[in-house]
Amino acid sequence: MIDFHCHLDLFSEPQSAAEAAHEAGLYVLSVTTTPKAFVKTALLAKGKKRIQTALGLHPEIAHLRKSELPLFDRLVVETRYVGEVGLDGSRDFAAHFEDQEMVFDHVLSSCAKAGGKIISIHSRNAATKVLDALERHPGFGIPIMHWFSGTPSQLRRAIDMGCWFSVGRPMLKSSKGRQLVSTIPRNRILTETDAPFTTKDEKSYQPAEVKTAVEELASLWEISPTETGNRLKDNLRTLLAA
Ligand code: MN
C-alpha cells in the first residue's frame, strides 16, 4: 500500500512511526514543513527504501520560515521529492498570502532549476492560484495535488494540466470528495493519510488509514480492493519511471 503524503516527523514518536510504516511494507512519501526539518526527517528513512523524504515549506508557515529558502535551494539537489508546499487561501492565513506566493514561486523555480521534482502540493481554498503558479514555472516537475478540495472546474483544469492526486480517507468519505475523485483519471491517483493529523492515535503509524482509502476507492471504482491496490502500485511505478 501507498501513503504518498505523511508527516512522519510530526508524530509524537517519529522513529516508531517510521518503523511501523516500514514493517507494514508501505511506500511512504514523508513530507516536511520546513527546510530545517529535512535532514533529520530523512534520517528516519535511513535503511528503509520504501520511505522517501520530501523537502518542504508549508504555506501556513511560509511567512515565518521564508528565511530558510536559501537552505531549500541547497537541499533541493539531495532529493527527488518536494513537499509539503503550496498555497492556502483560508481566512486564517490570508494575511500572509503574499509571502506564501513569494515562497511557492521561489520553490517552483528552484525545482525547475534542479531539473524538475515530484511535488506534493497543498491547495486549500487556493486551487486557481496554485495552478496559475504552476503555469508560471515550466519544468518544475510533476505536481501531486494533496487532498484536493477545489471546484469541479478547478479539478478539470488541474487534470488538463497533467496533475496527479493523492487522496485519503476524509476525502473519500465526503460526498463532495467522492464526486471529485470519480472525475480523476484512475491512472493519476495515489493514496495518502496526511497523518498524524487524520489519525486518532498520533503515537504510532496507522496503516489502516491507507487500507480504508483503498477500500473506498475500490467501491467507487467497482473493482476489488486487491485490484485497486494493484492499480495504485502500477500508478506509483509509472510516476517514478517518468
Ligand atoms: Mn499535510
Side-chain angles (χ1 to χ4, degrees), residues 130-148:
V130 162
L131 298 174
D132 289 347
L134 297 181
E135 278 179 349
R136 286 196 289 277
H137 299 279
F140 67 84
I142 303 173
I144 320 286
M145 307 300 276
H146 137 69
W147 199 336
F148 186 84

Side-chain angles (χ1 to χ4, degrees), residues 5-7 10 31 33 58 84 120 122 146-147 192 194-195 197:
H5 184 108
C6 173
H7 298 263
L10 300 182
V31 296
T33 51
H58 199 288
E84 179 167 358
S120 185
H122 176 115
H146 137 69
W147 199 336
E192 66 162 40
D194 205 15
F197 303 114

Side-chain angles (χ1 to χ4, degrees), residues 155-177:
L155 175 63
R156 174 45 55 198
R157 182 178 168 209
I159 293 167
D160 291 345
M161 286 174 61
C163 291
W164 286 59
F165 300 84
S166 56
V167 307
R169 188 178 54 86
M171 190 172 172
L172 288 157
K173 286 281 186 193
S174 85
S175 61
K176 185 197 165 195

Side-chain angles (χ1 to χ4, degrees), residues 7-18:
H7 298 263
L8 288 179
D9 65 336
L10 300 182
F11 279 80
S12 55
E13 291 169 21
Q15 193 65 55
S16 61

Side-chain angles (χ1 to χ4, degrees), residues 19 24 27 70 80 92 115-116 125 132 140 158 160 164 181 211 218 220 228:
E19 295 295 341
Y27 292 85
R80 199 181 166 195
D92 289 355
N125 294 323
D132 289 347
F140 67 84
D160 291 345
W164 286 59
V181 175
K211 194 165 170 265
L220 199 64
T228 304

